[in-house]
Amino acid sequence: MRNRFLNTPAAYALGMFAMMVPSQAFLSYFNYYYVEKLGLGLGLATIARTIYLFWDAVNNPMAGYLSDRTKSRFGRRRPWIMGSIPLFMLAFIMVFSVPHGLENTGLFVWLVLSIVLFEGAATLLWVNYGALFPELYQGERLRAKASAVQQIYQIIALLIGTALTPIIYGAIGFGWMSVTYSLLFGLCMVGFVLSIRERQDIKHPTPMPMLEAFRETLKNKPFWTFNIANSFAQTVNGLLGALLPFYAKYVLRISEQDVSILMGAVFVSVIPLVAAWYYISRKLGGLTSWRLAFAVYALATVPLWFARNLGEGIAAGIIAGFGMAGFLVTPALISSRIIDLDAERTGQRREGIYTAVAGFITRSSGLIAALAFWIVGVLYGYKSGDEPGPHPETVFRVLISVVPLILLTISFVVSLFLKLSEGRIRGEVTEDSIGQ
């Protein structure tokens, strides 16, 4: 039984599930916890997020470079993953276990220290996890299947990390919620590590020197086009997750308990929508499906502006979920092909550094989200849960509908500049075409 599970899409997706539950809880509720519950000023929360992103700029590319150079009997990626598991668990608990009595400066310092530690551990996990995908799964059909399975596991994790979280922290508090999710992460992550083996048939020549490796990566034009487009869409994913508790409170005017119903209905509906996008990607090919996902996602955020109660919020959320499902499934097909073409050109598989640099570009979306939150908050007078201003409902309508529409339109326009032909994305043409 274990051998049949080894390196299967389900085995790989278990790692996604493990990491995504606490990661989504962090993305969705750390702002709500510190700003709305603990009263930290929105300006200080934005500064903390900016520090977090500067730290990410340093450690993310280095994590990828070191991963590519690692040699061990366990492989290049698995040692880093195994070593990061306990650090990730402790850092996540720290984020949501603020000592009693901290206010203002003390609360800000605790937030910065905890999210910097959390981000460092998360980087090691996500970079090495993502680097395994192009190596383990070859060919667009297998990658489309593996990506779809992975996203189904991710959506279940999103459901737990968003919809179940208010119920858990409402019953046992944020601190014990973080302990619960850390234990779930640790258990599933150990199962993932035991179920994945890196391929032994791929030869890894002597890695490039660091500067050359970064130079080769950064001059790859399709790589930049692809990830810049993704970064704006990733901003929308982060905004929707982080804003739903605020949107529920100020726009839909529902209780924290009903937030779980809202999120549960939205994310459960996304699971069959992922399957729909899997068939769309097989029919249209990766590049066309990727572009289509941006256009659909942009239009699908419009109904969020008009919702006024729980029922309308669920309906609008399901519509938005169809666009989100497309963005979850399609990018892996193109990113893997770009890495394949780079390997054909350079003679080296550098999944680690590509995953790391891509991760930094897309995770810089957090700064865009934080700035959008701060700018719209200033325009309408929202400072914190203690000082929501005269029109908090308008703040969160704009942030959850207008801002995503603009960002996804930018994603779609940028995606039109990707120069890889549909045939190459499908793997029908094997010659090197990067940069053409």
Side-chain angles (χ1 to χ4, degrees):
M1 179 66 70
R2 178 181 170 186
N3 288 337
R4 281 183 288 180
F5 191 62
L6 189 69
N7 283 4
T8 61
Y12 182 76
L14 183 62
M16 171 62 78
F17 174 83
M19 294 184 294
M20 203 64 209
V21 171
S23 295
Q24 186 61 33
F26 170 79
L27 291 172
S28 295
Y29 292 101
F30 95 91
N31 258 330
Y32 186 70
Y33 176 54
Y34 281 87
V35 175
E36 189 72 20
K37 293 295 187 180
L38 301 182
L40 182 68
L42 188 57
L44 287 176
T46 302
I47 293 171
R49 188 64 179 268
T50 303
I51 294 171
Y52 167 100
L53 289 167
F54 275 113
W55 168 233
D56 184 53
V58 175
N59 69 26
N60 214 305
M62 285 304 302
Y65 178 72
L66 293 173
S67 177
D68 283 340
R69 294 182 66 88
T70 298
K71 294 181 180 180
S72 78
R73 64 189 184 93
F74 298 108
R76 294 193 293 174
R77 322 299 181 186
R78 292 174 74 239
W80 291 101
I81 293 173
M82 290 185 286
S84 303
I85 291 173
L87 178 60
F88 183 89
M89 294 172 68
L90 291 174
F92 180 71
I93 292 171
M94 183 178 174
V95 171
F96 289 102
S97 301
V98 176
H100 182 71
L102 283 185
E103 296 180 357
N104 299 324
T105 302
L107 185 60
F108 170 75
V109 171
W110 182 272
L111 172 60
V112 170
L113 290 175
S114 61
I115 64 175
V116 163
L117 288 173
F118 179 76
E119 195 281 331
T123 291
L124 291 173
L125 285 169
W126 284 107
V127 165
N128 286 280
Y129 175 81
L132 287 169
F133 185 92
E135 179 180 310
L136 292 178
Y137 307 109
Q138 300 289 314
E140 187 170 272
R141 284 184 176 271
L142 180 56
R143 284 172 175 171
K145 178 181 178 181
S147 178
V149 173
Q150 182 187 27
Q151 299 314 321
I152 289 173
Y153 276 60
Q154 179 177 357
I155 291 163
I156 296 171
L158 289 172
L159 180 61
I160 295 172
T162 53
L164 191 60
T165 298
I167 297 175
I168 294 178
Y169 72 63
I172 61 178
F174 279 93
W176 285 109
M177 176 274 293
S178 65
V179 172
T180 302
Y181 284 173
S182 291
L183 292 174
L184 176 63
F185 160 82
L187 180 63
C188 293
M189 207 65 196
V190 169
F192 161 77
V193 170
L194 294 176
S195 302
I196 291 294
R197 294 290 184 274
E198 296 180 44
R199 293 179 56 180
Q200 300 298 315
D201 59 320
I202 297 179
K203 303 299 182 182
H204 301 293
T206 302
M208 296 178 183
M210 182 171 65
L211 291 180
E212 183 181 354
F214 279 105
R215 185 167 56 249
E216 288 293 333
T217 303
L218 297 178
K219 74 180 185 181
N220 188 326
K221 293 180 181 179
F223 169 80
W224 277 101
T225 304
F226 170 70
N227 283 289
I228 289 172
N230 280 353
S231 68
F232 289 102
Q234 190 61 47
T235 300
V236 175
N237 280 2
L239 276 173
L240 293 183
L243 292 172
L244 276 175
F246 297 94
Y247 179 72
K249 177 178 179 178
Y250 292 111
V251 177
L252 304 182
R253 301 185 184 280
I254 60 178
S255 67
E256 286 188 345
Q257 289 70 30
D258 286 339
V259 173
S260 294
I261 298 174
L262 170 66
M263 291 183 169
V266 171
F267 286 112
V268 166
S269 69
V270 172
I271 295 176
L273 298 177
V274 164
W277 277 101
Y278 165 65
Y279 287 106
I280 291 172
S281 66
R282 288 190 60 180
K283 183 71 174 178
L284 300 180
L287 186 58
T288 301
S289 300
W290 177 62
R291 289 170 174 161
L292 178 63
F294 289 138
V296 171
Y297 201 179
L299 294 174
T301 61
V302 174
L304 292 167
W305 175 273
F306 299 99
R308 295 293 186 276
N309 53 51
L310 177 59
E312 293 176 2
I314 290 173
I318 291 173
I319 294 171
F322 181 62
M324 179 185 289
F327 178 65
L328 292 176
V329 171
T330 56
L333 307 180
I334 303 173
S335 63
S336 296
R337 185 61 185 151
I338 289 173
I339 292 172
D340 289 345
L341 292 170
D342 175 79
E344 292 174 17
R345 181 169 59 88
T346 64
Q348 297 190 6
R349 295 201 65 87
R350 299 181 298 121
E351 292 92 344
I353 195 168
Y354 268 104
T355 302
V357 176
F360 168 70
I361 296 170
T362 56
R363 285 164 68 179
S364 65
S365 62
L367 180 58
I368 302 173
L371 288 174
F373 199 158
W374 179 72
I375 291 170
V376 176
V378 168
L379 288 175
Y380 290 96
Y382 179 91
K383 295 181 180 179
S384 69
D386 296 330
E387 299 180 74
H391 302 292
E393 70 283 356
T394 304
V395 172
F396 295 106
R397 276 203 185 95
V398 170
L399 283 170
I400 209 165
S401 184
V402 177
V403 173
L405 176 61
I406 294 170
L407 294 175
L408 288 163
T409 300
I410 295 172
S411 289
F412 176 74
V413 172
V414 173
S415 76
L416 298 177
F417 289 89
L418 186 58
K419 299 301 182 182
L420 293 173
S421 72
E422 193 73 46
R424 285 168 183 147
I425 288 294
R426 289 177 179 174
E428 296 166 5
V429 178
T430 60
E431 71 269 24
D432 178 9
S433 60
I434 285 191
Q436 296 181 359

